[in-house]
Amino acid sequence: MKANRFLKDMKTLYTIGILSITACMVSCSNEPDGEDLYTATGKTIAEYIEEDPDLSSFVYILNRVGLDKTLSSYGQYTCFAPSNAGIEAYIDSLYDDDKSPIPHNGMIERSLYGLTDSLCNDIAKFHLLGSIRTIADMSGSIGTSINTMLGYAFTASIDEQTGQTTLNNVAHIINADNEATNGYFHKLDKAISRDTRMLPDVLHSIDGYTIFYTALMKTGLNEALKINNKGKIYTLSDQTDTNGADLYSPSECRVGFTIFAESDEVMAKAGINSFDDLVAYANSKYGNAAAWYHYLNEKGLTVNTGTTDADFKKPENALNMFVAYHILKTGMAIDKILFSREAYTSGGYTAYNYWNYNPETCYAEVYDYFETMLPNTLMKVWGGKYGSTGSLYINRWKQYNTLTDEVGTPGSAAMHPMRQTGVKILRDLNKSALNGYIQAIDKMLVYDSNVPNGVLHERMRFETTTFLPEFGNNGLRFISSNEAFILNGSQGSGARIAFPVDYFDNVYCYNGEDTKVRYNVNGAYNAWQANCFQGWGQYDLAIKLPHVPTGIYELRLMYVPMAHGGFMQFYLGTSKNVQEMEILGLPLDVRVPANDERIGLTPADQEDDQGVATDKALRNRGYMRSPMTYRQHPESRDEGTTGNQNMRTTNDGSSWALRKILVTKQFKQSEDYWFRIKNMISDDSELKWQFDYIEFVPVDIVNSTEYSEDWM
């Protein structure tokens, strides 16, 4: 009875609101270790902090909102416990806050007992994680963002003067890595404060960004950055997992943005010393944008270079376009922009979550593509061999980036000269707001002809959780299996999360909840970033694809052959109206093994030419091997398997992921394209659909006679 009451309490607690999850955990287990679940000795986090008289104020806050029960329960948590003096100082700051829309933030008196229940809830959840974070996990000099149970992040960094780990540049960890049976707790000298202002107000408060801030205000784009929630309560009647346990399903949907901003100092280096100078600069860079920004011509628009306040607010105005291209539709801390390359250990051997090889010897480079607020444009962020932990550049351009003059690898350095270094994202700002982040850049950022004609003229691989911004804005893009286990009320597994069918703006389910929308979190999956947007049921859904520069592309879909994979018919159209969609070939029977003669996947690493000849045979049937960039995960491999086990090479050729070639056609930058997946089997509601990543490949890259596409 007690266990059942706990599960009910946990379910109620975690369905109150969005819980945003840290993205860089390296564990791949679906549940906490057995020793954490069934420990006969030792104490819980709650018991440890209750024994410290200097933490009594924080204990009071936890008890007030019932979170003491959470820290007494099984699971894997991290608690940052502020000292009594730290809580007292934070209470004073709340009471004296003259910018709060509610006097004294609603407090009835300047004391611990004057806190409202809402404030207690916010304080408690902002100091708790549904995952493990030791001091070593927070020791990066670049600043590590840590998303909390409240759904908002703080940043951990090293105080250069004291060498202590500091949180949000305010609170210091004074007693670290206290291990309990259900996680860790760290004692703080102060409470972690957070900024509750929207992005425009935070940008205004930062010294040295006056020109960019003025441009943001003049264009009116600041108005679009004043929201942080869709303002809707979401419900899901069936949120069960395959084992019958209830999955976590978010009831709210946050909205966020990332601003890349040039400081006044950076602008001065480009000869821009005033707002008028920036207007002239934007006019010079975007005045002829119709020559490469095809959206303008296709919409019948001309560039506006006017200099009145009314002109600046027009989307086709040069200054407006300049500012809009600096804003992404997803709010991301600098260490969350790209997937981490960090290794994890499972089953006695180490594998890389994302890329297959050790960074010191790896051929592949980490990069991703994001849509900006300049209509239908993309920005590429490059992280090199080290991904999110290395230097990040916007729109770095290497010649023939996804082509090669050798077999398989990216080829000789001579064929990949650096055509454009790109704009470096500086790590010294990473400023958070209630609805996103402001990142500093080292030079002027523009959408010029080099972007569509050079940077983006390559095989573009789009991961679903990147181009659906709801994942990033709600902290679910890189969630680990352990964190999902906590969200799921510590019952069942941590394998997945359930979503209401109307949660995503760019996903449409034609038959309501008959299409189950699920997310397989970071774990043992044959997937691009160890996760997969997936579901099951009598599914019939459409997903709006990311916009690409106008051109003729080969469109490909990644999938994993599986016995419960379904029989899928694909469609494509410029609206989600089914009457306006074209059928893309014959249905795909996902139940057919990859080494079936109808597909013909073979173990490439056992062939003399490393699979070159059989690659051609696969293409003739409409298939391609998966990239060698990432590897099958340890929990999906036979124990002891090591070496070059990547998603291209395989020992049996039966269950590995494939790419299905869907269509070759012209895509226009100005058009929306909806991709529909329909289950053609009407008497089986348990078959699965999946949408891990897609590829847009320019036809001149596909059909190149001088070079071949690399295997990355």
Side-chain angles (χ1 to χ4, degrees):
M1 181 67 71
K2 183 176 180 181
N4 290 336
R5 185 169 62 252
F6 159 66
L7 293 177
K8 182 178 180 180
D9 288 343
M10 289 293 289
K11 178 182 175 183
T12 301
L13 172 65
Y14 287 111
T15 53
I16 291 174
I18 287 291
L19 289 128
S20 182
I21 309 298
T22 180
C24 291
M25 291 297 294
V26 296
S27 171
C28 197
S29 62
N30 287 335
E31 300 184 24
D33 293 337
E35 62 182 7
D36 293 319
L37 286 171
Y38 308 105
T39 303
T41 61
K43 300 177 182 178
T44 65
I45 295 174
E47 290 173 319
Y48 272 117
I49 63 177
E50 286 171 359
E51 292 178 350
D52 187 343
D54 193 34
L55 299 177
S56 59
S57 294
F58 186 62
V59 170
Y60 166 83
I61 291 171
L62 291 171
N63 293 345
R64 224 3 231 270
V65 293
L67 284 169
D68 57 318
K69 298 182 180 65
T70 300
L71 298 184
S72 298
S73 65
Y74 295 132
Q76 291 182 312
Y77 307 94
T78 304
C79 172
F80 297 89
S83 67
N84 289 345
I87 291 290
E88 183 179 358
Y90 190 56
I91 287 173
D92 287 341
S93 70
L94 292 172
Y95 194 83
D96 295 333
D97 182 6
D98 57 6
K99 295 182 180 179
S100 171
I102 304 174
H104 309 302
N105 280 288
M107 295 176 62
I108 58 175
E109 63 178 69
R110 186 195 297 270
S111 74
L112 182 65
Y113 309 105
L115 291 169
T116 64
D117 288 344
S118 177
L119 287 172
C120 286
N121 181 73
D122 285 2
I123 294 170
K125 286 187 175 180
F126 198 57
H127 290 77
L128 298 179
L129 314 179
S131 59
I132 296 296
R133 284 278 182 165
T134 65
I135 196 76
D137 298 325
M138 300 177 281
S139 60
S141 59
I142 62 173
T144 301
S145 62
I146 300 175
N147 290 330
T148 68
M149 283 188 176
L150 185 61
Y152 295 95
F154 59 76
T155 299
S157 56
I158 303 299
D159 188 312
E160 294 181 356
Q161 294 182 341
T162 66
Q164 290 178 296
T165 299
T166 179
L167 312 178
N168 270 5
N169 297 317
V170 173
H172 293 84
I173 296 179
I174 56 177
N175 187 351
D177 289 351
N178 296 282
E179 187 174 5
T181 60
N182 58 349
Y184 283 81
F185 72 93
H186 311 276
K187 185 173 180 178
L188 310 179
D189 61 348
K190 297 178 182 177
I192 312 170
S193 59
R194 66 187 180 94
D195 205 319
T196 58
R197 296 172 295 177
M198 297 293 186
L199 279 164
D201 292 331
V202 173
L203 178 62
H204 190 213
S205 70
I206 304 173
D207 292 336
Y209 287 82
T210 56
I211 299 176
F212 188 89
Y213 173 75
T214 302
L216 179 68
M217 301 298 289
K218 287 282 190 180
T219 58
L221 289 166
N222 62 302
E223 294 298 324
L225 305 181
K226 290 184 177 179
I227 60 172
N228 75 308
N229 196 294
K230 290 185 180 180
K232 177 181 178 180
I233 301 299
Y234 294 86
T235 59
L236 182 60
S237 60
D238 181 4
Q239 57 193 67
T240 55
D241 201 353
T242 52
N243 61 4
D246 277 351
L247 296 170
Y248 167 71
S249 181
S251 60
E252 295 180 330
C253 189
R254 290 172 53 200
V255 176
F257 309 90
T258 302
I259 299 176
F260 295 105
E262 298 96 342
S263 66
D264 296 342
E265 181 181 358
V266 168
M267 289 197 180
K269 292 178 181 178
I272 302 168
N273 297 291
S274 67
F275 171 72
D276 290 339
D277 287 346
L278 180 59
V279 172
Y281 177 87
N283 285 343
S284 70
K285 295 296 183 180
Y286 285 90
N288 193 37
W292 62 85
Y293 182 22
H294 301 118
Y295 173 90
L296 295 173
N297 294 326
E298 292 164 6
K299 289 291 187 181
L301 302 171
T302 58
V303 177
N304 176 298
T305 56
T307 58
T308 69
D309 286 349
D311 287 320
F312 295 145
K313 288 182 169 56
K314 296 177 180 178
E316 65 272 19
N317 175 264
L319 179 69
N320 196 295
M321 289 193 287
F322 172 85
V323 176
Y325 192 64
H326 286 66
I327 305 172
L328 302 185
K329 299 176 182 178
T330 305
M332 296 177 291
I334 194 168
D335 61 330
K336 300 296 191 293
I337 296 175
L338 296 179
F339 196 91
S340 173
R341 287 199 60 150
E342 295 179 9
Y344 65 86
T345 300
S346 180
Y349 41 84
T350 298
Y352 284 89
N353 275 348
Y354 188 12
W355 301 102
N356 186 35
Y357 301 103
N358 185 300
E360 298 301 327
T361 58
C362 178
Y363 297 122
E365 295 177 339
V366 184
Y367 45 82
D368 216 331
Y369 308 90
F370 303 91
E371 293 210 57
T372 80
M373 288 189 69
L374 180 62
N376 299 12
T377 61
L378 292 171
M379 173 188 296
K380 177 181 177 180
V381 179
W382 177 95
K385 295 182 179 181
Y386 293 89
S388 61
T389 60
S391 296
L392 303 183
Y393 291 88
I394 299 172
N395 292 340
R396 171 164 282 201
W397 174 21
K398 289 186 176 181
Q399 187 74 32
Y400 303 125
N401 185 46
T402 55
L403 288 172
T404 180
D405 58 357
E406 298 178 1
V407 175
T409 72
S412 64
M415 75 166 293
H416 298 296
M418 184 72 71
R419 296 293 302 276
Q420 181 171 282
T421 304
V423 177
K424 188 175 184 178
I425 304 174
L426 304 175
R427 295 186 180 271
D428 57 356
L429 187 58
N430 198 32
K431 186 68 174 177
S432 65
L434 185 65
N435 62 339
Y437 284 83
I438 301 166
Q439 305 294 353
I441 52 180
D442 76 336
K443 63 180 69 170
M444 304 302 292
L445 174 63
V446 294
Y447 183 78
D448 59 16
S449 62
N450 284 347
V451 180
N453 297 329
V455 175
L456 303 177
H457 194 73
E458 61 185 20
R459 177 191 60 231
M460 291 181 286
R461 187 173 295 147
F462 294 91
E463 213 272 343
T464 319
T465 64
T466 299
F467 70 79
L468 295 181
E470 288 85 356
F471 280 103
N473 287 333
N474 294 281
L476 302 171
R477 182 173 167 220
F478 297 140
I479 182 177
S480 71
S481 55
N482 179 68
E483 291 160 331
F485 179 79
I486 299 298
L487 284 177
N488 291 336
S490 301
Q491 59 178 322
S493 74
R496 59 184 58 89
I497 290 172
F499 287 100
V501 294
D502 56 346
Y503 193 78
F504 300 93
D505 289 343
N506 294 333
V507 177
Y508 183 79
C509 298
Y510 295 99
N511 54 359
E513 288 192 16
D514 286 344
T515 297
K516 292 181 171 58
V517 181
R518 301 293 189 258
Y519 171 46
N520 285 10
V521 306
N522 283 17
Y525 303 112
N526 300 347
W528 175 238
Q529 294 181 356
N531 56 28
C532 190
F533 189 43
Q534 189 183 65
W536 59 86
Q538 192 57 48
Y539 54 83
D540 189 359
L541 74 157
I543 300 174
K544 189 166 77 171
L545 303 179
H547 298 94
V548 295
T550 296
I552 301 176
Y553 295 87
E554 181 175 276
L555 178 65
R556 307 167 182 164
L557 172 72
M558 173 272 187
Y559 81 98
V560 177
M562 49 188 173
H564 51 293
F567 193 53
M568 303 177 180
Q569 181 65 64
F570 301 125
Y571 305 79
L572 186 68
T574 53
S575 81
K576 54 180 178 285
N577 185 342
V578 295
Q579 304 302 322
E580 299 176 7
M581 290 186 165
E582 62 175 308
I583 297 177
L584 300 182
L586 298 173
L588 174 67
D589 193 342
V590 185
R591 300 166 298 180
V592 175
N595 61 355
D596 185 280
E597 63 181 10
R598 287 168 286 180
I599 298 175
L601 185 68
T602 59
D605 57 338
Q606 298 178 21
E607 298 171 5
D608 292 340
D609 64 353
Q610 294 298 302
V612 172
T614 49
D615 282 345
K616 295 179 181 178
L618 278 168
R619 276 197 64 90
N620 289 336
R621 300 185 188 99
Y623 299 92
M624 292 180 65
R625 288 185 169 93
S626 280
M628 64 189 298
T629 317
Y630 66 110
R631 67 172 67 206
Q632 189 182 31
H633 292 277
E635 293 177 11
S636 297
R637 300 205 302 260
D638 294 334
E639 187 170 354
T641 303
T642 58
N644 191 28
Q645 288 292 307
N646 58 65
M647 295 306 292
R648 175 178 167 80
T649 60
T650 173
N651 291 325
D652 56 32
S654 60
S655 62
W656 293 69
L658 289 165
R659 285 175 282 182
K660 174 63 177 173
I661 301 170
L662 298 172
V663 69
T664 298
K665 69 181 300 300
Q666 184 185 53
F667 289 82
K668 292 185 177 181
Q669 187 175 33
S670 61
E671 296 280 7
D672 294 338
Y673 290 92
W674 288 83
F675 178 67
R676 181 186 178 196
I677 308 173
K678 178 178 173 59
N679 181 10
M680 303 301 290
I681 301 176
S682 60
D683 59 351
D684 190 341
S685 61
E686 299 302 320
L687 299 178
K688 290 189 176 181
W689 61 269
Q690 62 181 0
F691 196 103
D692 183 30
Y693 67 81
I694 56 167
E695 293 178 346
F696 280 92
V697 191
V699 289
D700 63 305
I701 290 177
V702 176
N703 300 325
S704 175
T705 57
E706 183 177 5
Y707 303 115
S708 62
E709 195 175 335
D710 66 36
W711 296 346
M712 297 295 104

